[in-house]
Amino acid sequence: MGQVFDRLRGKEWRHKQVQAICDRVFDRFKIQTGRANLTFEELYIAVLLVYNDINKRLPGPHFDPPSKDLVKAIMTDCDINLDGEIDRDEFVKFIEQITAETFNVVSQGLIISLIVAPTVAIATKKATEGVPGVGKVVQKLPTSIYASLVTLAVVWVNSDSS
């Protein structure tokens, strides 16, 4: 239950998720190159890896990574020490900036799946009880189980359509 509350808190949960993804990707480059900073080309590859990770792990639609031009522009904003490379802290800031809209879309999808779907299920249960063949089954199901089944179906449809 604590994980659900963490997800609904928003920014703190988002920052933890971004930090974990960034650490994993940044460490991968650090091990491969032996360097503590990312060049532009390495940064672009890292962005592709981050978006791949986001698309694999988060519910909802798949997100296209930004263009090289956009990465270059945001890199200039995030390169605090102006050395032309991105260190770990700059990388986290960069990814948070570039994925802000992505996480907003995911959050909206979670709200729909976790709040709207059960509410609609409860509201429509009475109407469904009158449907021949299905009505008797719906009548026998407790409302909480019916709402859970409808919510799972919405989550499943959302994940299949992405």
Side-chain angles (χ1 to χ4, degrees), residues 2-152:
Q3 291 176 341
V4 172
F5 290 127
D6 281 347
R7 289 180 184 203
L8 293 176
R9 278 189 217 144
K11 287 186 179 181
E12 186 178 321
W13 174 80
R14 181 176 160 253
H15 179 73
K16 285 180 184 177
Q17 297 303 310
V18 169
Q19 184 72 47
I21 291 170
C22 288
D23 286 345
R24 191 170 33 255
V25 170
F26 198 88
D27 288 342
R28 179 177 174 178
F29 276 94
K30 190 175 179 181
I31 290 169
Q32 286 179 349
T33 64
R35 296 173 348 99
N37 294 333
L38 300 175
T39 64
F40 170 72
E41 289 300 322
E42 291 167 341
L43 175 63
Y44 188 70
I45 293 169
V47 168
L48 296 177
L49 292 171
V50 166
Y51 269 78
N52 185 45
D53 207 10
I54 288 171
N55 286 331
K56 283 192 307 190
R57 298 178 187 277
L58 297 179
H62 279 72
F63 300 96
D64 292 330
S67 67
K68 277 189 166 186
D69 293 335
L70 181 59
V71 170
K72 187 75 164 172
I74 296 175
M75 179 183 178
T76 305
D77 292 342
C78 294
D79 186 12
I80 297 168
N81 58 10
L82 303 175
D83 63 354
E85 296 183 336
I86 298 291
D87 64 26
R88 183 180 297 269
D89 292 335
E90 293 169 339
F91 183 61
V92 172
K93 179 183 172 193
F94 176 90
I95 295 298
E96 283 180 340
Q97 186 174 340
I98 209 162
T99 61
E101 184 63 29
T102 302
F103 279 93
N104 287 339
V105 171
V106 170
S107 296
Q108 290 169 357
L110 286 173
I111 289 170
I112 289 170
S113 297
L114 298 176
I115 296 173
V116 175
T119 304
V120 170
I122 291 168
T124 60
K125 184 177 185 226
K126 254 316 189 215
T128 311
E129 290 174 353
V131 175
V134 177
K136 290 182 181 181
V137 174
V138 171
Q139 285 175 341
K140 291 181 182 179
L141 281 175
T143 303
S144 59
I145 292 175
Y146 181 75
S148 297
L149 291 172
V150 170
T151 302
L152 286 172

